[in-house]
Each structure stands twice: as structure tokens, then as C-alpha cells.
Amino acid sequence: MRTSIRTVAVATTAVSLALLGTACSSDKAGDSGKGSTTSAAPAAKALSAAELEKLIVEQADLPGHQVQKAKATDVVKSEEVSTDKPSCKPLADAMAFIATGGPAASAQRKAIEMPKKTGSPEDALGALTAPVTSVTLGSYDGQGAQEAFASLKTAGTDCAGGFVITGQGQKAKVTAVAPETLSAGEEALAWTVSTEVEGEPFVTKLAVLRKGGTLASFSTLSFGGPVKELPKAVIDAQAAKLG
């Protein structure tokens, strides 16, 4: 797909759209209620990048998906993505293949949901429009994971009415952030994110879960139309690997 798709991607769901381009070549706010973001939990010691690579989902963990390691060009720096409302920045990062809150180490994968049938032109089209989930793990020292999760929870509330994302000189408007229900890890959040991309509506799913000092985020999109469901298989597989 055209390079311009990646530029628009950074301004909307940032690298998430670029990932799909590569594939082609709890409270009511979504809190699981299983944990809290207070300082009651013991301080964590961040895992290394090598340790995260062993914990992130791989092909063997996700039957029916194609799992790929993110390339260096798939991952942008947090400072390259900004929002008009500062409190919305954590959401923009989670949407953009960026581990929220500056972790000590991170790891990324993309999981492409493959059609059950292959061979016909319709099946080939289905593969091109299949949902793609970007998975990001971040590991934090001390209470960093809890603080990052808390910032996402605040963003989900503060930014429900929308905000503007800027990336690589391009701007896009998130029009709504609606809560979803998710139970995973020690605490979890999820949303349906509605965005305008060059005047056209674009609906994605966003989810995060915390397990100890590790935060996992999942951003799902499809060029075949609005994403209607959270990537449960991907979330469950990642939660299982985190223990």
C-alpha cells in the first residue's frame, strides 16, 4: 500500500495503520475491577527487553493468526505523536504501538486474524481486510505500570468526547472514545475509538491490561470496515503468557 497510508496512520492510529499496510504486501469506563492503581502493590523491578521478548505472544500462541515481530520502521517514538489535550496522550501512545509512560523496556508484535478459508478471490480479499492487532508490552520499575494504567484510565474519561492527534506533520480527529468491558490480568480497560481519516469514519478497538510491572496494549483495526469486537483471542493469549 502507498507510503501516504503510513503518514496518515501516524496521525490517526499512528503505526497501527502502517501495520495493516505491511500485512497487505472494571467500572463502566472499562476497568476490570480486578485490581487498583494505588501504591498498595509491591514495587516492581522492570524486566529487560530480552525477558519481554520471551513473554510477548508468538505464532505458536495464536492459532488462526499470523504473528509477526514489529520492524524498527513500524515503531515511532513517543515524542513524534502529540495530542491537543495533554491528558489524551496516553491513549494516542497506546493506539500508536508505543508503550505508555516511558517504560524501561518494551516489545511489539502484530497479530493478523486469518480467514478460515483460502483460495477464492473473496478469501483473498478477506485476507487483505482481516483485523490486525498491534500488541505492545512495556515493563516498568516501581509503580510505573500502575501509574501508566492510571493515566490511561483518566484519558478514557477525559477524552471520551474526542481529541486531535498529530503525527509526522499530519492531523486526525478522534471523535469518540467509548468504554468496553474487559476482564484480564490484574486490571484492564478497553474502548471503541472512532476517528475521522481524511473525512471518512474509521472505527478501531483499543485495550490495555496490567500484570504486575508489565502493561500490555492492543490496538485493532481493519481496512474492511469498523472493528466490531475486541481481539479476545489475542488478549487471552497474551494474558496467559504474562501469568
Side-chain angles (χ1 to χ4, degrees), residues 54-63 65 67 111 135 137 182-185 209 216 218 231-243:
K54 295 178 180 179
L55 288 175
I56 199 166
V57 288
E58 298 288 5
Q59 186 66 62
D61 305 312
L62 280 170
H65 291 71
V67 180
V135 183
L137 292 188
L182 176 64
S183 179
L209 69 86
F218 310 84
K232 190 174 186 303
V234 181
I235 293 171
D236 287 349
Q238 185 58 75
K241 291 201 77 169
L242 291 176

Side-chain angles (χ1 to χ4, degrees), residues 37-53:
T37 56
T38 67
S39 60
K45 178 176 174 56
L47 301 175
S48 66
E51 289 172 315
L52 285 182
E53 286 292 326

Side-chain angles (χ1 to χ4, degrees), residues 86-221:
S87 63
C88 301
K89 181 65 162 66
L91 282 178
D93 283 351
M95 292 162 64
F97 227 172
I98 299 168
T100 301
S106 63
Q108 292 86 10
R109 293 291 187 275
K110 55 185 175 181
I112 306 164
E113 184 179 328
M114 303 306 293
K116 292 182 173 62
K117 299 179 180 179
T118 58
S120 72
E122 291 78 11
D123 294 334
L125 179 61
L128 294 177
T129 60
V132 178
T133 299
S134 59
V135 183
T136 305
L137 292 188
S139 185
Y140 305 74
D141 283 316
Q143 296 293 308
Q146 287 89 336
E147 291 166 359
F149 186 90
S151 72
L152 284 158
K153 186 173 183 178
T154 297
T157 300
D158 290 354
C159 309
F163 58 98
V164 176
I165 300 175
T166 301
Q168 294 189 343
Q170 301 293 319
K171 290 185 178 182
K173 183 179 180 181
V174 173
T175 57
V177 180
E180 295 260 1
T181 298
L182 176 64
S183 179
E186 292 177 41
E187 50 188 352
L189 295 163
W191 306 270
T192 294
V193 181
S194 300
T195 308
E196 286 185 4
V197 181
E198 297 182 341
E200 296 295 326
F202 196 81
V203 178
T204 62
K205 298 290 185 180
L206 180 64
V208 293
L209 69 86
R210 183 185 66 81
K211 178 68 176 182
T214 301
L215 194 70
S217 61
F218 310 84
S219 182
T220 305
L221 60 94

